[in-house]
Amino acid sequence: MSAIAPDLVAEHELPRWDMTPYFPGLDSPEFDSAVQELEEKVAAFEQRVSEVPPADAPRETITAAFEGTLALANDITGRALLVGGYIYAFLSMDTRDAAAQRRFGQFQLIGSRLAKTDTRFTSWIGTLDPDALIASSAAAADHEFMVRQSRIAATHLMSLPEEDLAADLTLSGGSAFGRLHEDLSSQITALLEHDGDARELPISEIRNLSADADRTVRKAAYDAEIAAWKQWSTALAASLNGVKGEHLTLAARRGWESPLAQSLFQNSIDAATLDAMMGAAREAFPDIRRYLRAKSKALGLETLAWYDLDAPLSASERSWPWPEAVAFVNEQFGTYSDKLRSLSERAFTERWIDAEPRAGKTGGAYCMETRDGESRIMANFAPTFSEVSTLAHELGHAYHNLCLKDASPIQQRSTPMTLAETASTFCETILRKAAIASGTPDEQLSILEGSLQDALAIVVDISSRFLFEQAVFAKRGRGQLSADELCALMHDAQLQTYGDAVEASTLHPYMWAVKGHYYSPDFAFYNYPYMFGLLFGLGLYARYQADPEGFRASYDELLASTGSADAATLAARFGIDIRSSAFWTSSLDVIRDDIDTFVALVDARQGM
């Protein structure tokens, strides 16, 4: 099927990650032993938490109980990260893997016990005087942010029996629905029909064709994708209703004003910060639409269709085979620091990365910390600069994990999503700036356009996802939503954000089915943190350009502290007021400058 860009569809010689440094296999004696040890540690944690002294006990008694329990909690957290991550690595590679599914179910039961005990630990900390505890305990002082956050979280707990019941029920409720979405969405295939030929492809490969140079291929892939999501929409709508229903019920029972209020707490920001950022984003919509109109002009189109958003500006756009992508990432990371380059080289040589798209594999990309500053990265690589940028993004997460190496496991896990995107955005920016500087004029235009695609996704599309999720919560509180109703809400959210720069009849009403972030049982509004990360990262990059040496001296410390303070406190260390719209506007001005350059390049190319 030569018309369908074989370089994007065919099998690649791409790496698969190596998980053997941790355990020989899911059914190995070594892994059995690790699971058993984790269960024993959880049992000891349960026993210890059941014996904590009352708040009016002598201070030395409370201090000793806190420090012993915290040490055990940190030990368990580190073990659970490795065991759970190891299982999920196999499950995300092939959601049909029966052994991985079985192990995941086993781990969920352990996780449920751990969640119940964590809740009891949090509840107990909430009864203590945080200032007195921090003054009497070096461990508490080192975990001050966790202690103070626990004090607040404790005010939003149901009774302990109710919390226990919620932890048990989520296994067949929100967590089960989230699992169902991931299993279904990773196994969906779509029939691609083009030029008299037809081919059944995994949905991840279909979505990669959105970047094909041939518009007829993009249109065929879009039609195939929409048909596939529609076919599975009833089950996926049930999953979304289940997850969002659980969020609403538990947020209300725990005394949160809304799931959004709970999300802000989880992300260590406040409503003033969110309002300032989202308001600045709305003001940038007209500029983003200027970019879209310039792209439509460059493609010779009256108006862009949805399937044109990722279209390359030239059929001869540079291909980025895997070896070239690896060499470029290593080289450009080295321009920042030896430490960053060393991290990326280690990730490639020690096979931390699974890059090959294949049937049964979860879509998208992610990075997970395993142990001792190590990570594993999942990708679905295609030879485009966009995918090279994604690789840099995930390696940025791995660098963040490396910087957190000496933090306690609890502090590592306490990094909110808003700050978790800082290093990834920064690394993407390093790569993009270098690619633009070293490219031919056509490559510069193409890479700049890719950067603006990312800005579109983060500023406009994330805004649409945020509006959609707000609307879903508003309506879900009054009853179940059908797939058609979800599609209508998504279409409306896209109209509000993309405006008339994209043909309304070609918008993607099933994006609620595509994006797994909607189905997280633990986090509502798994969207605006990405906007925060992009704009905060751009602001940090500007400071790096102004003072490279001074920035390097404090940047790693910032990354190492992301689980130890709220976002406003950490931002203030760089002189940033995240509650002010001025900061977010200044970051968006970087994007506006890129849009001005892009529009000028398009006009020049067309002789205007």
Side-chain angles (χ1 to χ4, degrees), residues 498-558:
Y498 288 86
D500 61 0
V502 177
E503 174 57 46
S505 64
T506 69
L507 293 173
H508 197 316
Y510 288 99
M511 287 305 291
W512 60 266
V514 176
K515 298 298 181 182
H517 293 163
Y518 293 123
Y519 298 83
S520 168
D522 300 316
F523 299 101
F525 293 96
Y526 206 141
N527 38 58
Y528 67 80
Y530 284 94
M531 186 189 299
F532 186 107
L534 171 74
L535 299 182
F536 190 60
L538 286 177
L540 289 180
Y541 189 83
R543 282 158 174 75
Y544 162 58
Q545 289 183 304
D547 181 14
E549 293 307 314
F551 181 88
R552 288 189 185 96
S554 54
Y555 179 58
D556 284 8
E557 180 185 353
L558 169 71

Side-chain angles (χ1 to χ4, degrees), residues 446-459:
S446 177
I447 292 167
L448 181 60
E449 201 272 326
S451 171
L452 291 175
Q453 283 184 29
D454 292 341
L456 172 74
I458 296 297
V459 179

Side-chain angles (χ1 to χ4, degrees), residues 272-503:
T273 298
L274 180 65
D275 290 345
M277 181 181 72
M278 298 302 292
R282 284 192 299 273
E283 291 177 0
F285 288 171
D287 293 290
I288 302 286
R289 292 168 189 163
R290 278 197 303 124
Y291 147 66
L292 291 173
R293 293 188 182 97
K295 179 168 185 174
S296 67
K297 181 189 296 184
L299 292 171
L301 302 172
E302 187 70 27
T303 306
L304 292 177
W306 184 273
Y307 48 83
D308 297 318
L309 292 176
D310 296 334
L313 295 183
S314 170
S316 60
E317 183 175 338
R318 176 182 174 182
S319 176
W320 289 81
W322 179 258
E324 291 183 29
V326 170
F328 189 69
V329 169
N330 285 337
E331 178 184 0
Q332 299 312 320
F333 279 9
T335 65
Y336 175 73
S337 72
D338 291 340
K339 181 179 178 181
L340 182 57
R341 175 169 185 150
S342 176
L343 178 278
S344 66
E345 289 177 338
R346 184 182 179 195
F348 291 125
T349 59
E350 295 184 11
R351 292 172 54 202
W352 288 10
I353 303 168
D354 193 295
E356 178 193 42
R358 55 188 180 271
K361 183 177 177 180
T362 301
Y366 69 75
C367 174
M368 64 179 178
E369 191 248 348
T370 51
R371 69 181 179 196
D372 300 329
E374 295 182 4
S375 301
R376 288 298 183 268
I377 292 169
M378 189 206 78
N380 283 276
F381 185 80
T384 66
F385 185 77
S386 175
E387 290 300 318
V388 182
S389 183
T390 296
L391 190 61
H393 179 103
E394 300 305 335
L395 284 165
H397 285 303
Y399 186 74
H400 195 166
N401 291 336
L402 177 64
C403 290
L404 283 164
K405 178 181 178 180
D406 295 328
S408 73
I410 284 179
Q411 288 171 321
Q412 292 172 16
R413 290 196 68 183
S414 297
T415 294
M417 285 189 292
T418 42
L419 296 172
E421 295 303 319
T422 300
S424 54
T425 300
F426 187 80
C427 285
E428 277 190 89
T429 307
I430 290 174
L431 211 70
R432 181 175 66 253
K433 295 290 187 181
I436 291 174
S438 63
T440 66
D442 279 350
E443 288 172 351
Q444 290 175 339
L445 179 62
S446 177
I447 292 167
L448 181 60
E449 201 272 326
S451 171
L452 291 175
Q453 283 184 29
D454 292 341
L456 172 74
I458 296 297
V459 179
V460 174
D461 198 62
I462 287 296
S463 293
S464 75
R465 296 188 215 176
F466 180 78
L467 291 172
F468 168 78
E469 194 157 0
Q470 279 188 313
V472 168
F473 276 125
K475 290 183 176 292
R476 181 63 183 86
R478 299 193 292 270
Q480 297 271 337
L481 291 163
S482 68
D484 286 345
E485 288 174 300
L486 293 170
C487 285
L489 292 178
M490 179 58 74
H491 189 268
D492 181 64
Q494 290 172 351
L495 280 176
Q496 291 184 59
T497 49
Y498 288 86
D500 61 0
V502 177
E503 174 57 46

